[in-house]
Amino acid sequence: MLAVLGFATLGSFMLLVMRKYLSAFTAIMLTPIAAAVIAGKGTKLGDMIINGLDTVAPTAALLLFAVLYFGLMMEARLFDPISALIIRASKGDPVRIVVGTAVLSLLVALDGDGTTSYMIVCSAFLPIYRRLGMNPLVLAALAAMALGTISGTTPWGGAATRGISALHLDAGEYFVHMIGPMALTSLAIIAVAHWLGLRERRRIDPDKLNAYRLEVASGDAIPTVRAGWRMWANAALTAALMVLLILEVADLVVLFMVAFVIALLINIRTIEEQQELIKRQAANAVPVMMLVLAAGIFTGIMTDAGMIKAMANAALSVVPDTWGNLVPLFTAVLALPLGFFMSNDAYWFGVVPVLAESAGHYGIHANEIARAGAIGQILHMMGPTSAPLWVLLGLVKADLGDFHRTALRWGIPVSLAYIAFALLTGAITIA
């Protein structure tokens, strides 16, 4: 009974979200509450909801301060010198321009917000692409792969945040083991960029290319950047934050809270200006925080009511025991098509908890399932359910079909490479 009710709850949630009958925030709370009432556990709803919220509170706080920190760094134009440096280093060479696109896309994806990342990359490079007659779909494909790799993996990005909250994981334990695969996949994206740059170099009119090289050499094509003491302080603070994060000196939420306070003191002096910054950045942080808290309610009810366990047992009953050790690999492979076609809310809150519960019967930690699920974010950023993708296509003025023909040709191999890197480094394992 509980297994059937659980699957019906997940199906109802996914249907409501994917058909846009309800918002994810509304559906993720209403469906488990209704299921608990039907199961006769309505009197325990309060305790189940509080238990769920207790598990996701640290993740919600982490997300809030990470978004505030990187938002402030964007407003402080921390990455402007990097953009200017890339253009100067490119010397008008399409290969270097495309590789620079990939590098900047990977860096700004640390922000965790897809729309912001795409706007920064397009602002820096789209004029160059148009000036030289380069294919803007190359820029779009690289930006989507970079966002899926970095933002889709980091615990302050929307996807991984959903997994961490839904599975009640420690953000540091999840993330540290993903740094290796994430770095190797980033190198793979840069290698793809180099190949695409070679193709663009052969395609571009040589006269137009020579004219642009002269503009770069004279400095006319390079944006003016003033690297004052605040910019150097921001760069040092961000570098120190990343080092401390990797060394696990303290919880991620503590590191980001302290770093944000220091960044405020460095960049904004008056209380009024600080309040205005927080108001602006709250537009990015609050919606996802609401989903994280709602996810805690969803998983708290589903777990405490016994539905997750019953569903996992039902799923395990049809899976041969000899395949149990391959659950992380199956999850990673399954994440590719599901990530492309499904919304993150439906996938992370509906599918991943069942896979994690099933994996637990074979002694596989939920961290591995969360890491395996994050790999599908590369294709999710290229799929029609990715809201930032429509912003990107609007910026480059491209058709979805044309984008898919270019992006999937490289996104699928890079995603498969990500799976291989995760297996190689032990982020996900098969016994």
Side-chain angles (χ1 to χ4, degrees), residues 154-202:
T154 53
W156 55 86
T161 299
R162 288 170 170 86
I164 292 169
S165 60
L167 302 181
H168 307 157
L169 304 177
D170 177 79
E173 178 64 23
Y174 154 84
F175 182 53
V176 168
H177 295 278
M178 283 300 282
I179 293 175
M182 184 175 68
L184 291 173
T185 306
S186 298
L187 292 176
I189 292 173
I190 293 173
V192 168
H194 185 270
W195 171 254
L196 292 174
L198 290 173
R199 290 176 52 184
E200 291 298 298
R201 180 198 282 170
R202 291 192 294 265

Side-chain angles (χ1 to χ4, degrees), residues 239-327:
L241 175 62
M242 293 298 105
V243 171
L244 294 175
L245 183 152
I246 294 172
L247 295 177
E248 298 184 84
V249 173
D251 289 340
L252 297 184
V253 63
V254 175
L255 293 176
F256 273 107
M257 287 179 70
V258 174
F260 176 64
V261 170
I262 296 174
L264 277 179
L265 295 176
I266 292 173
N267 294 279
I268 303 176
R269 293 298 181 87
T270 68
I271 296 176
E272 292 76 13
E273 291 176 331
Q274 292 177 0
Q275 291 174 338
E276 287 301 317
L277 168 83
I278 294 173
K279 289 179 182 178
R280 289 194 301 272
Q281 295 303 322
N284 296 325
V286 171
V288 183
M289 274 190 64
M290 290 171 61
L291 276 174
V292 169
L293 295 174
I297 295 174
F298 183 91
T299 54
I301 294 174
M302 295 287 286
T303 300
D304 291 354
M307 284 183 277
I308 290 290
K309 185 174 182 179
M311 293 161 61
N313 290 335
L316 286 174
S317 66
V318 298
V319 177
D321 291 337
T322 55
W323 291 7
N325 61 317
L326 299 177
V327 172

Side-chain angles (χ1 to χ4, degrees), residues 191-232:
V192 168
H194 185 270
W195 171 254
L196 292 174
L198 290 173
R199 290 176 52 184
E200 291 298 298
R201 180 198 282 170
R202 291 192 294 265
R203 193 180 60 82
I204 295 174
D205 180 5
D207 293 335
K208 184 180 291 187
L209 187 57
N210 290 332
Y212 182 72
R213 284 173 174 168
L214 291 176
E215 290 182 22
V216 174
S218 65
D220 294 338
I222 301 174
T224 303
V225 177
R226 294 181 179 179
W229 70 268
R230 283 192 176 89
M231 186 167 286
W232 287 111

Side-chain angles (χ1 to χ4, degrees), residues 71-148:
L72 175 54
M73 291 298 106
M74 294 299 178
E75 290 195 14
R77 305 182 69 181
L78 174 62
F79 297 107
D80 278 11
I82 299 174
S83 299
L85 179 62
I86 291 172
I87 295 173
R88 186 179 291 108
S90 73
K91 298 181 180 179
D93 181 7
V95 176
R96 296 186 179 187
I97 291 170
V98 177
V99 170
T101 302
V103 172
L104 184 62
S105 297
L106 291 165
L107 288 173
V108 299
L110 286 167
D111 168 69
D113 179 67
T115 301
T116 302
S117 299
Y118 290 152
M119 291 181 67
I120 292 172
V121 174
C122 288
S123 297
F125 283 100
L126 193 56
I128 303 174
Y129 277 67
R130 289 174 175 164
R131 170 71 175 78
L132 292 176
M134 296 172 64
N135 185 1
L137 291 175
V138 171
L139 181 155
L142 292 172
M145 285 192 289
L147 186 68

